[in-house]
Amino acid sequence: MSTAERRVLLVEDDPMHAELIKRAFEDDPAIIITVAHRLDEAIAALRRGLPDMVLADLRLPDGRGIELCQARDYPIVIMTSQGSEADAVEAMRAGALDYIVKSEVMFDDMPHVVDRALREWRLQLAHERANRQLQTQYEIASALATSTTLQEAAPRILESICRCVGWPVGELWRFDESAEVLHRKAFFSLDPALRTLEDVPHRFARGEGLPGRTWEAGQPLSVTYPADAPGERARPALGELGLYCGYGFPVHTSDGRTFALFTFYAPSIHTADVDIERLMSTVSAQLDVFAERQRGEEERRRLQAELVERERLAAVGETAATLAHEIGNPLNSMYMHTQLLQRRLRRMANVDPSITEGVALLLSENLRLGSLLQDFRSLSRRGSLRLAPVDLGRLLEQLLALQQPLLGSSSIEMLRELPPGLPTVVGDEGKLRQVFMNLVKNAIEAMPRGGRLSIIARVEDGRIIVEVTDTGVGIPEGVDVFEPFKTTKAAGTGLGLSVARQVITSLGGSLGCESELGVGTTFRVVLPIGTEADAQLDA
Ligand code: ADP
Ligand code: MG
């Protein structure tokens, strides 16, 4: 059957009229006319298959032609011999596309009537489809506008698409790029009987099943079951549920990355339908805009957090300056007096050892407070740096030599790679020593059962990079060790790293870390190479 063929069901009880109408189409082989003489005959014919249009007499022996208008699955033109206005109105109300009064002239003109009706019907369908699509786009836009995550909006999006195109089941998948798997984030079914599909796999690997295959293809994909989808064995229920077709649609960002995908299942799917492709592309664009907005929102939140962090640091700095002043002096005098006490005690005989111990403790606690105060002072923005060229290689050698005895006692092996003749950086030597001291101390403290500490320096792109690596406990994901007061140590201050980062950043460098829980941690200091001339410029 060629596509140009048009099947017309003619419902006419008058054999004469039927004959005349058929004769009017004699010259047009594309029009295939089937005649039904009664309403029940017409209904039976419609059950066997829908025609392209119906031409029905208003008055039939067993009823009225307009009863055929209800289905609205085909265009229908009503004919009558009388031609009363009331009949016309009734026919049009019932959903007839046109209404004609039978006459010799009219019969001759029948090809035009049919042609006009078919054209009109096509327009109507297109119009309805366009409306439905607009409605769907509107629904999706509303769902996205009132949701904060794609996941939250997904069930409504799926429902809109399913209702628009008449597919009974829809799913949305997101990627877990690192694990190379797809996770189902939302499921929708028009029919409760299809909910059983919700239980079957939530995860698909690349290339596996319709989701995985759509991922691999990177473009819309349609499959029929079971013939061309052996990978679908993961979903054996599909055929049993009468779903013989699947349609996968990847959602791309404007720069071509796939970040989600849809799958739909239906008894049949006509993917050649340009409307569906157009609808899905629009949905894809809508989701991309949404994702873009979300990324913007994330960035905004990150910046805001950074701002809060900076403000907090500044506030700490203010307090630090005052604290250092108010507490620093009395602390100093306490220290001096305790030291004096200790000296006197040494010269005395028969001193109770608990007194000597108590005084030693006073001194060490005093020292600890002093170094906490020192950290506080470093956080203060006002603390000015004394800039001069610093020989990092020498600084590190000295510092590590001091740590050597400590390493031996805690069975930590040290690896040192400090190339000779390392260029200088411009910085405050005291503060830089404090930074590296802190990193080394942290590394040692992270290896209570021993391990390896390595300090490796190298020159790269006009910068010196120093990596302090340990094989210690590691840092849990999501923990920001640079946040002030973040400490896991009983006697820690949690200020070491925030001070260190501040010092390094103020010298135009950066301090970052990489860690794996239970494996170890690397802190990386990057500083620009700088000489006396740079120091003069900075001062
Ligand atoms: P403190 O050492 O006083 O706790 P820091 O700012 O130096 O303060 O470090 C903050 C926290 O970061 C530590 O308490 C620890 O939990 C974590 N940390 C720092 N360095 C390491 C490391 N090398 N390995 C594991 N955790 C570390
Ligand atoms: Mg520390």
Short mmCIF file of all heavy atoms in Angstrom, two decimals, residues 207-246:
data_model
loop_
_atom_site.label_atom_id
_atom_site.label_comp_id
_atom_site.label_asym_id
_atom_site.label_seq_id
_atom_site.Cartn_x
_atom_site.Cartn_y
_atom_site.Cartn_z
N GLY A 207 27.49 0.83 28.23
CA GLY A 207 27.29 -0.21 27.23
C GLY A 207 26.30 -1.28 27.64
O GLY A 207 25.96 -2.16 26.85
N GLU A 208 25.82 -1.22 28.87
CA GLU A 208 24.94 -2.28 29.37
C GLU A 208 23.49 -1.81 29.37
O GLU A 208 23.18 -0.75 29.92
CB GLU A 208 25.38 -2.64 30.80
CG GLU A 208 24.57 -3.73 31.44
CD GLU A 208 24.81 -3.79 32.95
OE1 GLU A 208 25.55 -2.94 33.48
OE2 GLU A 208 24.22 -4.66 33.58
N GLY A 209 22.61 -2.60 28.75
CA GLY A 209 21.19 -2.25 28.73
C GLY A 209 20.94 -0.96 27.95
O GLY A 209 21.88 -0.35 27.43
N LEU A 210 19.69 -0.57 27.87
CA LEU A 210 19.37 0.65 27.12
C LEU A 210 20.06 1.89 27.70
O LEU A 210 20.63 2.68 26.95
CB LEU A 210 17.84 0.84 27.07
CG LEU A 210 17.36 2.10 26.37
CD1 LEU A 210 17.83 2.15 24.92
CD2 LEU A 210 15.84 2.19 26.42
N PRO A 211 20.07 2.06 29.05
CA PRO A 211 20.75 3.25 29.58
C PRO A 211 22.23 3.27 29.21
O PRO A 211 22.74 4.27 28.70
CB PRO A 211 20.57 3.11 31.10
CG PRO A 211 19.39 2.21 31.28
CD PRO A 211 19.41 1.27 30.11
N GLY A 212 22.90 2.13 29.43
CA GLY A 212 24.34 2.07 29.16
C GLY A 212 24.65 2.22 27.68
O GLY A 212 25.67 2.79 27.29
N ARG A 213 23.76 1.71 26.83
CA ARG A 213 23.99 1.82 25.39
C ARG A 213 23.76 3.24 24.90
O ARG A 213 24.45 3.72 23.99
CB ARG A 213 23.09 0.83 24.64
CG ARG A 213 23.56 -0.61 24.85
CD ARG A 213 22.56 -1.60 24.30
NE ARG A 213 22.46 -1.52 22.85
CZ ARG A 213 21.48 -2.09 22.15
NH1 ARG A 213 20.54 -2.75 22.78
NH2 ARG A 213 21.45 -1.98 20.85
N THR A 214 22.78 3.92 25.50
CA THR A 214 22.55 5.32 25.10
C THR A 214 23.75 6.16 25.52
O THR A 214 24.20 7.04 24.79
CB THR A 214 21.27 5.86 25.79
OG1 THR A 214 20.20 4.96 25.53
CG2 THR A 214 20.93 7.24 25.27
N TRP A 215 24.28 5.86 26.69
CA TRP A 215 25.47 6.56 27.20
C TRP A 215 26.60 6.42 26.19
O TRP A 215 27.25 7.38 25.80
CB TRP A 215 25.82 5.97 28.55
CG TRP A 215 27.03 6.57 29.21
CD1 TRP A 215 27.74 7.67 28.82
CD2 TRP A 215 27.64 6.11 30.41
NE1 TRP A 215 28.75 7.92 29.69
CE2 TRP A 215 28.72 6.97 30.68
CE3 TRP A 215 27.39 5.05 31.29
CZ2 TRP A 215 29.55 6.80 31.79
CZ3 TRP A 215 28.21 4.89 32.39
CH2 TRP A 215 29.27 5.76 32.64
N GLU A 216 26.80 5.15 25.76
CA GLU A 216 27.89 4.85 24.85
C GLU A 216 27.67 5.55 23.50
O GLU A 216 28.59 6.12 22.93
CB GLU A 216 27.95 3.35 24.63
CG GLU A 216 29.26 2.84 24.12
CD GLU A 216 29.30 1.32 24.27
OE1 GLU A 216 28.38 0.66 23.75
OE2 GLU A 216 30.20 0.82 24.92
N ALA A 217 26.42 5.52 23.02
CA ALA A 217 26.11 6.08 21.70
C ALA A 217 26.22 7.61 21.73
O ALA A 217 26.60 8.22 20.74
CB ALA A 217 24.71 5.67 21.28
N GLY A 218 25.87 8.22 22.86
CA GLY A 218 25.93 9.68 22.96
C GLY A 218 24.87 10.37 22.12
O GLY A 218 24.93 11.58 21.91
N GLN A 219 23.92 9.61 21.62
CA GLN A 219 22.83 10.21 20.84
C GLN A 219 21.56 9.37 21.04
O GLN A 219 21.64 8.25 21.55
CB GLN A 219 23.21 10.28 19.38
CG GLN A 219 23.61 8.93 18.81
CD GLN A 219 24.02 9.05 17.35
OE1 GLN A 219 23.98 10.12 16.78
NE2 GLN A 219 24.39 7.95 16.77
N PRO A 220 20.40 9.91 20.62
CA PRO A 220 19.16 9.17 20.83
C PRO A 220 19.24 7.76 20.23
O PRO A 220 19.84 7.56 19.17
CB PRO A 220 18.11 10.01 20.11
CG PRO A 220 18.67 11.38 20.09
CD PRO A 220 20.16 11.21 19.98
N LEU A 221 18.64 6.82 20.94
CA LEU A 221 18.76 5.43 20.54
C LEU A 221 17.43 4.75 20.77
O LEU A 221 16.81 4.94 21.80
CB LEU A 221 19.81 4.80 21.45
CG LEU A 221 20.29 3.40 21.12
CD1 LEU A 221 21.16 3.45 19.88
CD2 LEU A 221 21.11 2.85 22.29
N SER A 222 16.96 3.99 19.75
CA SER A 222 15.74 3.24 20.03
C SER A 222 15.98 1.77 19.77
O SER A 222 16.73 1.39 18.88
CB SER A 222 14.58 3.78 19.19
OG SER A 222 14.76 3.40 17.86
N VAL A 223 15.39 0.92 20.59
CA VAL A 223 15.59 -0.52 20.46
C VAL A 223 14.24 -1.21 20.55
O VAL A 223 13.29 -0.67 21.11
CB VAL A 223 16.49 -1.08 21.59
CG1 VAL A 223 17.89 -0.57 21.47
CG2 VAL A 223 15.91 -0.73 22.96
N THR A 224 14.17 -2.41 19.97
CA THR A 224 12.97 -3.20 20.16
C THR A 224 13.35 -4.47 20.90
O THR A 224 14.48 -4.94 20.79
CB THR A 224 12.31 -3.57 18.82
OG1 THR A 224 13.32 -4.15 18.00
CG2 THR A 224 11.74 -2.35 18.14
N TYR A 225 12.45 -4.99 21.70
CA TYR A 225 12.72 -6.17 22.52
C TYR A 225 11.97 -7.37 21.99
O TYR A 225 10.87 -7.22 21.49
CB TYR A 225 12.31 -5.92 23.96
CG TYR A 225 13.00 -4.74 24.54
CD1 TYR A 225 12.29 -3.64 24.98
CD2 TYR A 225 14.39 -4.72 24.62
CE1 TYR A 225 12.94 -2.54 25.51
CE2 TYR A 225 15.05 -3.63 25.15
CZ TYR A 225 14.32 -2.54 25.58
OH TYR A 225 14.96 -1.47 26.08
N PRO A 226 12.43 -8.54 22.19
CA PRO A 226 13.74 -8.82 22.75
C PRO A 226 14.83 -8.89 21.69
O PRO A 226 16.00 -8.95 22.02
CB PRO A 226 13.55 -10.19 23.37
CG PRO A 226 12.51 -10.84 22.52
CD PRO A 226 11.65 -9.74 21.94
N ALA A 227 14.40 -8.84 20.41
CA ALA A 227 15.32 -9.16 19.32
C ALA A 227 16.66 -8.44 19.40
O ALA A 227 17.69 -9.10 19.47
CB ALA A 227 14.64 -8.87 17.99
N ASP A 228 16.68 -7.10 19.44
CA ASP A 228 18.00 -6.47 19.30
C ASP A 228 18.55 -5.92 20.61
O ASP A 228 19.33 -5.00 20.64
CB ASP A 228 18.01 -5.45 18.15
CG ASP A 228 17.39 -4.13 18.51
OD1 ASP A 228 16.59 -4.10 19.46
OD2 ASP A 228 17.71 -3.14 17.85
N ALA A 229 18.12 -6.51 21.75
CA ALA A 229 18.64 -6.02 23.02
C ALA A 229 19.02 -7.13 23.98
O ALA A 229 18.42 -7.31 25.02
CB ALA A 229 17.61 -5.12 23.67
N PRO A 230 20.04 -7.91 23.65
CA PRO A 230 20.42 -8.99 24.55
C PRO A 230 20.85 -8.45 25.91
O PRO A 230 20.63 -9.09 26.92
CB PRO A 230 21.59 -9.67 23.82
CG PRO A 230 22.05 -8.66 22.81
CD PRO A 230 20.89 -7.82 22.46
N GLY A 231 21.43 -7.25 25.93
CA GLY A 231 21.88 -6.65 27.18
C GLY A 231 20.73 -6.37 28.12
O GLY A 231 20.92 -6.14 29.30
N GLU A 232 19.52 -6.39 27.58
CA GLU A 232 18.35 -6.06 28.38
C GLU A 232 17.93 -7.22 29.28
O GLU A 232 16.92 -7.14 29.95
CB GLU A 232 17.17 -5.73 27.48
CG GLU A 232 16.94 -4.29 27.11
CD GLU A 232 17.49 -3.21 28.02
OE1 GLU A 232 16.94 -3.05 29.12
OE2 GLU A 232 18.42 -2.52 27.63
N ARG A 233 18.68 -8.31 29.26
CA ARG A 233 18.25 -9.43 30.10
C ARG A 233 18.13 -9.00 31.55
O ARG A 233 17.42 -9.61 32.34
CB ARG A 233 19.19 -10.62 29.96
CG ARG A 233 20.56 -10.36 30.50
CD ARG A 233 21.47 -11.54 30.25
NE ARG A 233 22.81 -11.18 30.62
CZ ARG A 233 23.61 -10.44 29.87
NH1 ARG A 233 23.22 -10.03 28.69
NH2 ARG A 233 24.82 -10.12 30.28
N ALA A 234 18.80 -7.88 31.88
CA ALA A 234 18.69 -7.37 33.23
C ALA A 234 17.26 -6.94 33.52
O ALA A 234 16.88 -6.76 34.65
CB ALA A 234 19.63 -6.19 33.41
N ARG A 235 16.48 -6.76 32.50
CA ARG A 235 15.11 -6.32 32.71
C ARG A 235 14.15 -7.28 32.02
O ARG A 235 13.51 -6.94 31.04
CB ARG A 235 14.90 -4.92 32.15
CG ARG A 235 16.07 -3.99 32.36
CD ARG A 235 15.65 -2.56 32.22
NE ARG A 235 15.25 -2.08 33.52
CZ ARG A 235 14.87 -0.82 33.74
NH1 ARG A 235 14.79 0.02 32.75
NH2 ARG A 235 14.55 -0.45 34.95
N PRO A 236 14.06 -8.49 32.52
CA PRO A 236 13.27 -9.52 31.84
C PRO A 236 11.79 -9.18 31.81
O PRO A 236 11.05 -9.70 30.99
CB PRO A 236 13.54 -10.78 32.67
CG PRO A 236 13.97 -10.29 34.00
CD PRO A 236 14.62 -8.97 33.79
N ALA A 237 11.36 -8.31 32.70
CA ALA A 237 9.94 -8.03 32.82
C ALA A 237 9.38 -7.24 31.64
O ALA A 237 8.18 -7.24 31.41
CB ALA A 237 9.68 -7.28 34.11
N LEU A 238 10.27 -6.60 30.88
CA LEU A 238 9.78 -5.71 29.83
C LEU A 238 8.78 -6.35 28.88
O LEU A 238 7.68 -5.85 28.69
CB LEU A 238 10.96 -5.16 29.02
CG LEU A 238 11.76 -4.05 29.71
CD1 LEU A 238 13.00 -3.71 28.89
CD2 LEU A 238 10.89 -2.83 29.89
N GLY A 239 9.18 -7.50 28.29
CA GLY A 239 8.32 -8.18 27.33
C GLY A 239 7.01 -8.61 27.98
O GLY A 239 5.94 -8.42 27.42
N GLU A 240 7.14 -9.16 29.20
CA GLU A 240 5.94 -9.62 29.90
C GLU A 240 4.95 -8.49 30.14
O GLU A 240 3.75 -8.72 30.22
CB GLU A 240 6.32 -10.22 31.26
CG GLU A 240 7.00 -11.57 31.15
CD GLU A 240 7.77 -11.91 32.42
OE1 GLU A 240 7.34 -11.46 33.51
OE2 GLU A 240 8.81 -12.58 32.30
N LEU A 241 5.49 -7.29 30.28
CA LEU A 241 4.62 -6.15 30.56
C LEU A 241 4.08 -5.51 29.29
O LEU A 241 3.42 -4.49 29.33
CB LEU A 241 5.36 -5.10 31.39
CG LEU A 241 5.74 -5.55 32.81
CD1 LEU A 241 6.68 -4.56 33.46
CD2 LEU A 241 4.49 -5.72 33.66
N GLY A 242 4.43 -6.12 28.16
CA GLY A 242 3.93 -5.59 26.90
C GLY A 242 4.72 -4.39 26.40
O GLY A 242 4.25 -3.61 25.57
N LEU A 243 5.94 -4.21 26.95
CA LEU A 243 6.76 -3.08 26.50
C LEU A 243 7.81 -3.62 25.55
O LEU A 243 8.79 -4.23 25.96
CB LEU A 243 7.42 -2.41 27.72
CG LEU A 243 6.43 -1.90 28.77
CD1 LEU A 243 7.15 -1.44 30.02
CD2 LEU A 243 5.57 -0.77 28.19
N TYR A 244 7.58 -3.43 24.27
CA TYR A 244 8.46 -4.03 23.29
C TYR A 244 9.49 -3.06 22.73
O TYR A 244 10.32 -3.42 21.93
CB TYR A 244 7.64 -4.64 22.14
CG TYR A 244 6.67 -5.69 22.65
CD1 TYR A 244 5.31 -5.44 22.68
CD2 TYR A 244 7.14 -6.90 23.14
CE1 TYR A 244 4.42 -6.39 23.17
CE2 TYR A 244 6.28 -7.85 23.64
CZ TYR A 244 4.91 -7.60 23.66
OH TYR A 244 4.06 -8.52 24.16
N CYS A 245 9.38 -1.80 23.13
CA CYS A 245 10.30 -0.82 22.58
C CYS A 245 10.89 0.05 23.68
O CYS A 245 10.24 0.32 24.68
CB CYS A 245 9.58 0.12 21.61
SG CYS A 245 8.97 -0.75 20.18
N GLY A 246 12.12 0.48 23.44
CA GLY A 246 12.78 1.39 24.37
C GLY A 246 13.35 2.55 23.61
O GLY A 246 13.72 2.43 22.44
#
